[in-house]
Each structure stands twice: as structure tokens, then as C-alpha cells.
Amino acid sequence: MKKLFYLAAFAVFGLSTMNAQDSDNGSSALSEGSWLIEANTGFGASDFGHTANTGFGLVSIDDTTIWSIGAEAGYFVMDDLAVKLGLGYNDFDGASSFSYKLGAKYYIESMIPVQLDITGASGDDVFGDETPLWLGLQGGYAWFVADNISIEPGLRYNLSLNEDFTDEGILEFRIGFALHF
């Protein structure tokens, strides 16, 4: 019974949040001239081939650990469309690399973010002579928990653009946390 009560309370809270979001479509959070700062976490089929990450991540398999830290920033060039830049630091079991991301993020109906970007990395100890590069496509849902704070769960697919480094695509489940100014 207690679980049913919590489920009902969660459903009512979710519906009231969605109604508040619907009535606030003119929000300045996604308006031309505003900024966003975003941090992402990634889960899923991320293997040791994708070490270019501008979010927070930790993977450990067979005594090999990869961790990453980074963030992204964006500027809204028009309502619902932001141009973004991301930077990150990655550690591949003691060898390090730096990551970068350049792309655009569009919010369909001010609540469904779709992102297209190029992600790359550099690090002599990790990649040797290769320069990994990926084309990323990401989509999800923006849940505004406050006027300037959103939680954005979604899916991301990274398509390798450097077949000499890897020819495998990578699918990830991500949760993004964004501050809008």
C-alpha cells in the first residue's frame, strides 16, 4: 500500500510539473541571448574505444579503469537553438587525454532536445598517431525542475569518423543536468 501511495504521489507531481511546463513555454531559459551550462553522465555500451568524453563517466572492466570529467556550455543564437562547446579530461588507466565537442542543440517544442555535434580527443599516451573523431546524435526530454534548471535524460549515438582508430559506433544512455542563464 505504501508503494502505491508513493507511485500515486509521484504521478500527481509529474503531471503538475508537466502542466506548469506547458503553461511556461515562453520561458526565458531557452530564449535568444541566454546561456546554458551542462554536465552529462553516460551509461551503456561505452567501451574502451570511446575515450572522448565531455561529461562525467567511470568504466572499470578487468582491472582497467577509465574515468572522465568535463562540461559543456552553449549560447542560444535564436529561441530554442544553442551553439555548444564542450571540454573534458579523460584518464585511461593512467594515460590521459583531452576531449572537445562542437555542436548545436535544438529544443523541439521547448522540451525535446536534439543535438548534433563533432567530438574529438587528443593524447599521445592513449591514441598514438591516431586522432579519434566522432559524429554524435543525441535526443531526449528536458524536464525543467525550476525556471533555470533542467534534467535531460536521453540517448546518444556516436558514429566513428576515423576508421583507422575504430569503426564501431557507440550507443549511450545519458542524463544531463543543465543550468540556464
Side-chain angles (χ1 to χ4, degrees), residues 44-121:
S46 177
D47 61 68
F48 296 118
H50 185 56
T51 56
N53 191 351
T54 58
F56 295 96
L58 176 64
V59 176
S60 185
I61 298 174
D62 297 332
D63 296 329
T64 301
T65 302
I66 297 175
W67 62 270
S68 58
I69 186 168
E72 301 172 17
Y75 177 75
F76 284 88
V77 294
M78 61 183 267
D79 289 354
D80 296 323
L81 178 64
V83 176
K84 292 181 59 182
L85 174 69
L87 296 172
Y89 174 81
N90 307 285
D91 183 89
F92 182 81
D93 207 30
S96 62
S97 70
F98 289 95
S99 302
Y100 58 89
K101 182 184 288 183
L102 180 63
K105 186 173 196 175
Y106 182 72
Y107 289 81
I108 300 168
E109 296 292 321
S110 298
M111 68 181 145
I112 301 172
V114 177
Q115 182 170 310
L116 181 67
D117 56 61
I118 297 287
T119 306

